[in-house]
Amino acid sequence: MECLCAHPPAGLQHLGLGHNKLLGPLESLYVTANHWPNLVSLDLGFNDLTDLQSMVTSLRTLRHLRLLVLQGNPLALVPYYRGLTIDSLAQLCVLDDITVSPNEKHLFRGLSLNGDLLAQEAQFVVTIGNIRGVLDTSVLDPEPRPE
């Protein structure tokens, strides 16, 4: 991102950076109006961006941004992700390929003012694949269960 922003194309309106293994939170420093003042659509989907609040703060500077893709990033797993993003970016028309309705804008109004809400609701999910050396207790169950 740093190299891309060193000499950004003047007047660029559409920027697709999906599936680029971008890591947060420093990447949010590069998605501002300082580098992309005319940006209308931005695809940051399916990277490794983690800091939703930093990202939204940076994206707020993009006054012309109407279409945003952040799906596929860990930050999109935050419970209030869609609401916070919609409330923070009032000019947004499409988020993650879903049109932002006037009802959503009304429903989520003021959510961005409560930053502590995100910290209170953070979750950590661990998925474990195959484990060796652990006894399969299903063979010890004398009564078969329905499949």
Side-chain angles (χ1 to χ4, degrees):
M1 284 291 287
E2 186 176 355
C3 294
L4 183 63
C5 291
H7 303 289
L12 185 75
Q13 293 184 341
H14 308 284
L15 181 59
L17 296 171
H19 299 276
N20 272 292
K21 298 180 184 174
L22 300 177
L23 301 172
L26 296 179
E27 298 300 344
S28 62
L29 300 174
Y30 300 107
V31 289
T32 65
N34 293 339
H35 302 289
W36 318 105
N38 299 313
L39 210 58
V40 174
S41 70
L42 175 61
D43 181 356
L44 293 170
F46 300 95
N47 285 293
D48 294 316
L49 303 173
T50 56
D51 190 342
L52 179 59
Q53 288 190 312
S54 293
M55 183 59 67
V56 166
T57 299
S58 294
L59 293 172
R60 234 183 237 143
T61 67
L62 301 171
R63 301 286 178 210
H64 303 287
L65 188 67
R66 299 295 182 267
L67 185 144
L68 176 63
V69 177
L70 290 172
Q71 68 189 14
N73 286 290
L75 61 73
L77 299 175
V78 171
Y80 301 102
Y81 156 72
R82 185 165 176 88
L84 179 78
T85 305
I86 289 171
D87 188 49
S88 299
L89 307 173
Q91 77 283 5
L92 207 59
C93 297
V94 178
L95 175 60
D96 296 335
D97 298 324
I98 300 171
T99 301
V100 176
S101 69
N103 186 43
E104 279 184 303
K105 288 186 179 191
H106 176 73
L107 180 66
F108 298 131
R109 184 174 294 137
L111 188 61
S112 63
L113 301 176
N114 193 355
D116 293 340
L117 189 63
L118 294 177
Q120 294 170 6
E121 293 295 327
Q123 299 177 16
F124 187 78
V125 177
V126 176
T127 303
I128 300 174
N130 296 330
I131 300 177
R132 294 186 186 140
V134 176
L135 180 62
D136 181 5
T137 57
S138 65
V139 296
L140 301 177
D141 191 1
E143 294 188 32
R145 292 183 222 148
E147 292 187 27

